[in-house]
Amino acid sequence: MSIPRRYALGAAGLTIALVLAGCGDDDDGNGDDTATDERGELTVGGADFTEMHIMQQMYRLLLEDAGYTVDVTTAANREAYAPALENGEIDVIPEYAATMAEYLNAQINGPDASTSAPVATNDAQETVEAMGPLAEQRGLTVLEPAEAADQNGFAVTGEFADQNGLRTLSDLAALGQPIVLAAVEECPERPFCQPGLEETYGLQISEILPLGFSSPQTKEAVASGEAQLGLVATTDGTLEDLGLVLLEDDKGLQLADNLVPVVNTESAGDDAVAEALNSLADVLTTEDLAMLNAQVDAERQLAEDVARTYLEDQGLI
């Protein structure tokens, strides 16, 4: 299941141990041995959940195809892997643009900076550009963001959407009816949850069912009609099977949590790494990532296998 950074990774307890999850020395025919010897070794890291496992494997395969020898390591949360990226224990991580930008903002400008002077916006390129100088101060380089974004989404049943001609959150607000929202317990205080829906869209939230972020309980509440709207991840691969559809955030309430590579400048800041990883930027979509998550979570395929098949199908390796 996809886990929201703002609710999980940023608040999780510190876990220092990094666990080796695999390495890239298997003979799979990617790249050539001479190039590998010349390029050297890299470690791809990141958080320990399905979507990140898929992204780590994509990065590994792209970098191996470019001639590097690659290990993959995972950690429980950003507080564990971000320092390892800065000190060179990890060379490359897949990140989420807005969340990483505000993490760096808080690290450099103080814990209140993300609320008093935020740098992230609802535009991916603007957010990455604002993150760049902060990353540079920590010895990091931010590469190109993908179209794929894992952020707060709001889902209704496909039947409800069809009956009322709903495509966007603005369409839902235009119905002018009270809405029961299945979401996290903190939703009434979260600016991107109830307050944002009410202030930005004019939705009438009559009740919050505290059932969690993209949890089975939240999705079931919407599917059964107990709630009309549910807080889910935009890359949740189970929505279609449950008869749920995402409503477009047409007024840009949510910040741009697009997938973006962040690298240690000294160890992985070269053009070959950038070229390999940036090849995903114009290819990987939110819908693609939801499909890949479903293949791992629902179909029990291996993250490495779905990553390889996707990259081969897209002609990237």
Side-chain angles (χ1 to χ4, degrees):
M1 180 178 71
S2 179
I3 300 175
R5 276 74 44 213
R6 64 182 62 85
Y7 292 131
L9 295 182
L14 295 180
T15 303
I16 303 302
L18 297 177
V19 182
L20 284 178
C23 67
D25 59 357
D26 53 326
D27 184 11
D28 57 13
N30 288 328
D32 85 65
D33 294 339
T34 302
T36 300
D37 291 341
E38 292 175 354
R39 294 290 191 200
E41 299 179 0
L42 294 172
T43 297
V44 173
D48 186 12
F49 60 94
T50 294
E51 187 165 286
M52 283 293 95
H53 292 316
I54 294 169
M55 294 305 303
Q56 289 157 16
Q57 291 300 326
M58 281 198 193
Y59 285 11
R60 175 182 73 82
L61 292 164
L62 288 168
L63 290 168
E64 286 182 346
D65 198 60
Y68 294 92
T69 298
V70 185
D71 288 335
V72 175
T73 187
T74 59
N77 53 56
R78 185 173 287 104
E79 286 80 1
Y81 67 71
L85 179 67
E86 293 178 18
N87 68 29
E89 294 177 49
I90 294 173
D91 305 294
V92 179
I93 56 172
E95 259 297 352
Y96 299 93
T99 302
M100 186 60 173
E102 294 305 341
Y103 171 84
L104 292 171
N105 191 19
Q107 291 292 307
I108 293 169
N109 298 314
D112 297 329
S114 60
T115 53
S116 62
V119 297
T121 73
N122 59 14
D123 182 272
Q125 201 60 50
E126 285 181 4
T127 299
V128 166
E129 289 173 4
M131 193 195 329
L134 298 172
E136 186 176 352
Q137 292 185 51
R138 311 296 283 200
L140 307 176
T141 298
V142 186
L143 302 182
E144 291 297 318
E147 188 278 333
D150 184 349
Q151 54 201 32
N152 288 343
F154 294 92
V156 298
T157 65
E159 182 181 7
F160 183 62
D162 290 342
Q163 288 175 348
N164 294 281
L166 305 182
R167 187 180 60 84
T168 68
L169 285 168
S170 291
D171 294 337
L172 179 61
L175 294 180
Q177 66 183 48
I179 298 294
V180 176
L181 171 63
V184 295
E185 185 176 359
E186 304 87 351
C187 184
E189 290 80 45
R190 299 284 185 177
F192 304 109
C193 200
Q194 183 177 355
L197 291 173
E198 292 176 339
E199 295 166 14
T200 301
Y201 286 100
L203 280 170
Q204 302 174 39
I205 306 299
S206 61
E207 184 182 359
I208 300 290
L209 303 181
L211 298 175
F213 178 87
S214 222
S215 67
Q217 295 82 3
T218 284
K219 290 177 282 190
E220 176 56 31
V222 179
S224 68
E226 184 181 2
Q228 288 78 50
L229 191 66
L231 174 64
V232 299
T234 53
T235 58
D236 188 324
T238 68
L239 299 181
E240 183 177 357
D241 287 345
L242 295 171
L244 305 181
V245 295
L246 285 167
L247 295 181
E248 180 187 344
D249 178 19
D250 54 305
K251 292 186 177 181
L253 171 62
Q254 305 302 323
L255 298 179
D257 256 334
N258 297 61
L259 274 295
V260 63
V262 181
V263 305
N264 180 290
T265 303
E266 182 176 354
S267 64
D270 58 82
D271 291 342
V273 169
E275 182 178 356
L277 298 181
N278 285 342
S279 66
L280 268 180
D282 294 329
V283 175
L284 184 66
T285 68
T286 302
E287 293 76 13
D288 290 345
L289 197 47
M291 173 193 69
L292 298 174
N293 284 334
Q295 289 175 353
V296 174
D297 285 335
E299 300 174 17
R300 304 304 181 192
Q301 297 186 46
L302 296 177
E304 178 181 1
D305 293 341
V306 303
R308 183 186 301 279
T309 299
Y310 179 79
L311 293 177
E312 290 175 345
D313 289 346
Q314 299 298 322
L316 296 179
I317 59 172

